[in-house]
Amino acid sequence: MPEDDVDRIVSAWRRERPELDVTPLEILSRVSRLARRLDLARGAAFAEHGLDGWEFDVLSALRRAGAPYELSPGQLVSETLVTSGTMTNRVDRLLTRGYVERHPDPRDRRGVIVRLTPEGMRAVDAALDDLLTHERGLLAELPQADRGPLAGQLRALLASIERP
């Protein structure tokens, strides 16, 4: 394996602080760097469709909900890990773009639901198609046989971190 930036960082820390066990950096610094690079790549892919990453997040949460492609604001907050105030602002901005609609919640007279419009569905579907094509390219050098085990290891790590 060729040396990467994390190898150099870990080596420097081992030289400067030999009393520390810096092995967590070998994994988590790589995950962090991957996440940053993926955020940039995804941002570029979404921009090709005139979307910001947060717009894709909200629209894709609605799309994944299945017909009639609607969720309550509280459900959107849970799906996207933002505050309710942030979600209100995001829904307002998506409304002005014609990607979502607000409707009264038939189960709660005081509540509303947010529904994906046909225009919003077209936007999120096109962005997802291109995103998947791009991300397949990012994984092209990783052997197919390694992808399942890596996904499982990352799932286990994420589950351990997300546990309350």
Side-chain angles (χ1 to χ4, degrees), residues 63-76:
R63 181 68 166 99
R64 290 189 314 267
Y69 309 106
E70 62 187 26
L71 294 169
S72 71
Q75 290 169 310
L76 283 169

Side-chain angles (χ1 to χ4, degrees), residues 3-157:
E3 190 174 82
D4 65 9
D5 289 340
V6 174
D7 289 321
R8 289 184 281 282
I9 291 167
V10 168
S11 178
W13 278 122
R14 284 188 173 132
R15 182 189 68 239
E16 296 300 316
R17 298 286 311 270
E19 77 281 8
L20 293 179
D21 174 14
V22 294
T23 56
L25 297 176
E26 293 179 298
I27 296 170
L28 299 178
S29 290
R30 285 186 175 95
V31 169
S32 176
R33 286 171 174 262
L34 279 168
R36 179 67 182 133
R37 291 189 183 273
L38 287 174
D39 281 346
L40 292 171
R42 284 180 166 191
F46 300 147
E48 291 177 22
H49 295 275
L51 295 175
D52 286 329
W54 66 264
E55 290 174 307
F56 180 83
D57 287 347
V58 175
L59 296 175
S60 64
L62 291 166
R63 181 68 166 99
R64 290 189 314 267
Y69 309 106
E70 62 187 26
L71 294 169
S72 71
Q75 290 169 310
L76 283 169
V77 164
S78 295
E79 287 283 323
T80 59
L81 305 175
V82 298
T83 66
S84 60
T86 297
M87 184 53 64
T88 298
N89 182 278
R90 289 179 175 186
V91 169
D92 288 345
R93 291 173 66 187
L94 289 168
L95 274 163
T96 64
R97 295 197 64 188
Y99 289 157
V100 300
E101 302 168 330
R102 273 195 187 104
H103 294 278
D105 187 338
R107 296 169 301 274
D108 178 1
R109 292 185 323 185
R110 297 169 294 157
V112 297
I113 56 169
V114 179
R115 183 176 300 148
L116 190 63
T117 64
E119 186 176 341
M121 185 176 294
R122 281 189 295 276
V124 72
D125 282 353
L128 179 64
D129 290 345
D130 286 352
L131 174 67
L132 291 173
T133 298
H134 180 73
E135 290 189 351
R136 280 186 202 97
L138 294 175
L139 293 173
E141 291 193 33
L142 184 64
Q144 191 70 36
D146 292 345
R147 294 179 191 184
L150 177 58
Q153 292 169 338
L154 291 171
R155 181 183 304 109
L157 177 61

